Amino acid sequence: QVQLVESGGGLVQAGDSLRLSCAVSGRLFSRFTMAWFRQAPGKEREFLAAITWGAGTTYYADSVKGRFTISRDNAKNTVNLQMNSLKPEDTAVYYCAAGRLGYATKQYDYWGQGTQVTVSS
C-alpha cells in the first residue's frame, strides 16, 4: 500500500513563492518516479514536473520551467515542489503522484488527495 499526502498549499499573492511537500508511505518509494500535476476548475489535470529515482533526473512542463523546482529525499520519503514567481494562472489543486515516468496521468498509479494553491493578482 502506497499513500501520498500533500501539504503546503495556501493563498498567496502574485510574485510570491510557495513550497509544496508530499510525504509518501510505502517501502517502494525509492523505486517510483515522482511527479506533480495540477488541475484548475473546468480543466484537465496538467503535468508539471517529474523526478526519477536513482539519478534524480528532472522533467518540467514548459509552463513552469524556470519557475518551479522538483526535488526528492529518498531517505525521508518526500518529494517537494518549490514554486517561485507565482501567477494567478497557477491557481489550481496540486497533486503528488507516484508511478512510471511520463507526462500522462495514466503513467502514475498512486495519487495524493491534492492541496489547493490560490494566487491572487
Side-chain angles (χ1 to χ4, degrees):
Q1 184 78 9
V2 177
Q3 291 186 324
L4 288 70
V5 179
E6 302 96 336
S7 61
L11 172 63
V12 297
Q13 293 187 335
D16 284 351
S17 298
L18 205 57
R19 184 177 177 88
L20 304 182
S21 292
C22 176
V24 185
S25 62
R27 58 187 177 91
L28 297 180
F29 167 76
S30 62
R31 297 300 181 98
F32 289 121
T33 287
M34 300 299 300
W36 287 94
F37 286 73
R38 69 185 178 191
Q39 189 166 19
K43 295 188 176 181
E44 294 187 352
R45 196 165 294 191
E46 172 192 16
F47 171 85
L48 298 177
I51 184 167
T52 62
W53 76 281
T57 304
T58 56
Y59 301 83
Y60 294 95
D62 288 341
S63 60
V64 303
K65 194 174 296 182
R67 296 191 300 127
F68 291 10
T69 302
I70 188 171
S71 61
R72 67 188 292 164
D73 185 334
N74 287 343
K76 296 183 178 179
N77 281 15
T78 58
V79 60
N80 302 304
L81 185 68
Q82 177 67 41
M83 306 185 294
N84 299 327
S85 302
L86 284 164
K87 307 174 183 179
E89 51 263 44
D90 293 318
T91 295
V93 177
Y94 284 68
Y95 296 91
C96 175
R100 296 164 290 138
L101 178 62
Y103 300 99
T105 56
K106 65 181 180 180
Q107 300 292 117
Y108 297 88
D109 301 311
Y110 303 99
W111 294 83
Q113 82 288 350
T115 185
Q116 177 70 45
V117 172
T118 303
V119 184
S120 63
S121 57

